[in-house]
Amino acid sequence: MSTRVCWLCKKGRKKSNGISSNLSLEEVFQWAESFEKLMTTKYGPVIYTAYLKMEHSDENMKFWMACETYKKTASRFSRISKAKKLYKTYIKPQSPREINIDSPTREAIIKNIQEPTQNCFDEAQKIVYMHMERDSYPRFLRFRRLFTTSCCLSILLRI
């Protein structure tokens, strides 16, 4: 077993977010059951986002999470503002964090953004979810071998 400090423990120690000290071994094992399970556990999305950031592909997760927040926006004024920000950041061609979606979906968003509804990003969010599930999630599972470092096990076994 390695004595080096893994990326998960570094992340937990870097910020006082309590991840590494509160993360259970049971939750880590749940992440391998399905992508949906990973996304619905307490720390899964946070750790998965950290992994995607290391891969330089965290724009999908950030977009997905921004959509989840956007859907909860009740105020029409706030929804318009947030929709424009989502478009400028993730949808607009050559945007800083452009996501990979097909042209018809992009065009539908451009059309719907004039009077944005709570669901106007749903199709793009589904596409991004599918990309994460099919592409980066399997790589994340292979990357979990780093959870066998001694630093991580000592933290995970404190449950």
Side-chain angles (χ1 to χ4, degrees):
M1 192 176 318
S2 173
T3 57
R4 63 190 163 86
V5 178
C6 72
W7 67 278
L8 173 60
C9 294
K10 283 180 186 174
K11 177 162 178 52
R13 291 176 187 162
K14 191 180 215 179
K15 298 178 182 173
S16 57
N17 55 19
I19 291 173
S20 62
S21 60
N22 294 324
L23 180 64
S24 73
L25 191 56
E26 178 184 345
E27 181 174 344
V28 172
F29 288 140
Q30 286 178 355
W31 299 344
E33 292 176 19
S34 70
F35 184 65
E36 182 179 355
K37 194 70 123 169
L38 169 75
M39 296 294 280
T40 57
T41 60
K42 186 172 183 178
Y43 297 114
V46 175
I47 300 303
Y48 184 61
T49 301
Y51 167 75
L52 291 174
K53 189 170 187 164
M54 288 175 36
E55 251 197 354
H56 304 287
S57 63
D58 60 330
E59 67 280 349
N60 286 337
M61 185 64 161
K62 289 186 184 244
F63 173 74
W64 189 86
M65 291 189 315
C67 286
E68 289 298 296
T69 302
Y70 172 82
K71 288 179 193 179
K72 296 172 187 165
T73 305
S75 159
R76 182 180 173 272
F77 178 76
S78 293
R79 193 169 42 246
I80 290 170
S81 173
K82 287 181 182 183
K84 287 179 181 179
K85 185 176 180 181
L86 277 169
Y87 173 76
K88 287 178 185 173
T89 306
Y90 300 102
I91 307 297
K92 184 178 177 182
Q94 305 300 313
S95 61
R97 303 178 78 53
E98 184 180 0
I99 56 170
N100 183 13
I101 56 173
D102 56 82
S103 293
T105 302
R106 189 178 313 274
E107 289 167 14
I109 290 171
I110 292 169
K111 179 183 169 190
N112 294 332
I113 206 163
Q114 305 308 316
E115 281 296 322
T117 65
Q118 288 176 311
N119 303 358
C120 72
F121 293 99
D122 282 0
E123 188 59 31
Q125 189 181 21
K126 287 176 193 171
I127 292 168
V128 161
Y129 187 93
M130 181 192 69
H131 286 314
M132 291 189 298
E133 184 175 34
R134 290 184 183 168
D135 298 332
S136 53
Y137 175 63
R139 289 192 303 274
F140 172 75
L141 292 179
R142 289 190 296 273
F143 194 73
R144 283 180 59 229
R145 73 185 186 287
L146 294 180
F147 291 127
T148 60
T149 61
S150 58
C151 63
C152 210
L153 282 179
S154 67
I155 289 167
L156 292 175
L157 293 176
R158 275 192 273 144
I159 54 176

